[in-house]
Each structure stands twice: as C-alpha cells, then as structure tokens.
C-alpha cells in the first residue's frame, strides 16, 4: 500500500486547513486509517484514526473538538480537517494504514511521507 499525503501549508493561527491522503495498491476499505504528526524536536504522536468497518473515530485529547477525520472509500482517501489552528499544531502530518486495525490502538502497517503544516502567530 502506498500513501500520499497532501494539503499542508502555511496558515495563520485560528485558521483552518484540510489535509488529504490517497491510498493505492490495496483494499482501502479494509484499513483503519490514521493521522500522526511530528513537530520539530519531538517524537511522532497519534492525532486521529477512523475505523475500517464502521467509520468510528478516535482522537488524541489535544485535538478533540478541533480536528475531524473522515474517509471516502470510493476515492481511497482519508481527510483531516483542522480548525482553530494553533502554533503548537505546527508539524509534519503523516497518514498511516492499519489492516483491520483497532481504531483505539492503531498500529500502522504502512506510512505516508507526510505533509508539513506550519501555523504562524
């Protein structure tokens, strides 16, 4: 499975952005999809996940109420809508795929290359 993330960019604090990830080479509907992020100097951290069979979702506490993950199986695409952006949201955002994975404990089998989101004051 290949994952290609896009949609990152420079945004002012308080703004919104939607990042996308297109999957190819596998049966997209069988994968729990997730987003992770890595800020400069920090370890990669979980952000959000969406279940493969019922579209249930799970979020990190730090993004609840601001981030929304969704998927379109017809387009093999997972989205992350990011609202009310804060400077601390600045990071490279990575999408990941976990075959029939648990949305509450996603353990990726595949990673995308990431897209950079920079939030300015």
């Amino acid at each position: 499975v290949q994952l290609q993330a896009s949609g990152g960019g420079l945004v002012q604090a308080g703004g919104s952005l939607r990042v996308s990830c297109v999957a190819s080479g596998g049966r997209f509907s069988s994968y729990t999809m997730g987003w992770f992020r890595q800020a400069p100097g920090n370890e990669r951290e979980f952000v959000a996940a969406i279940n493969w069979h019922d579209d249930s979702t799970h979020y990190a506490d730090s993004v609840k109420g601001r981030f929304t993950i969704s998927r379109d199986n017809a387009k093999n695409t997972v989205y992350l809508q990011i609202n009310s952006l804060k400077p601390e949201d600045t990071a490279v955002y990575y999408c990941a795929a976990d075959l029939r994975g648990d949305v509450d404990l996603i353990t990726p089998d595949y990673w995308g290359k990431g897209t950079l989101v920079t939030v300015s004051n």
Side-chain angles (χ1 to χ4, degrees):
V1 175
Q2 291 79 45
L3 303 173
Q4 181 63 55
S6 62
L10 176 62
V11 185
Q12 286 191 330
S16 297
L17 195 68
R18 188 177 79 164
V19 293
S20 305
C21 175
V22 179
S24 60
R27 186 174 179 180
F28 181 75
S29 59
S30 295
Y31 286 87
T32 289
M33 298 300 296
W35 287 97
F36 292 73
R37 68 184 180 185
Q38 187 167 17
N42 290 357
E43 294 185 353
R44 190 173 300 187
E45 64 175 0
F46 168 78
V47 173
I50 184 165
N51 195 277
W52 67 277
H53 69 91
D54 65 1
D55 287 354
S56 59
T57 57
H58 179 61
Y59 296 93
D61 289 342
S62 59
V63 306
K64 281 181 182 176
R66 298 191 300 121
F67 289 23
T68 302
I69 188 171
S70 61
R71 66 190 298 158
D72 184 338
N73 287 345
K75 295 182 178 180
N76 288 356
T77 302
V78 60
Y79 305 97
L80 185 69
Q81 178 68 41
I82 310 172
N83 297 329
S84 303
L85 277 157
K86 305 175 182 180
E88 52 263 42
D89 294 320
T90 294
V92 177
Y93 284 72
Y94 297 90
C95 62
D98 181 1
L99 180 61
R100 299 187 179 90
D102 182 349
V103 72
D104 294 320
L105 189 63
I106 181 172
T107 52
D109 299 303
Y110 303 97
W111 292 92
K113 288 189 177 180
T115 185
L116 176 62
V117 174
T118 303
V119 184
S120 63
N121 285 312

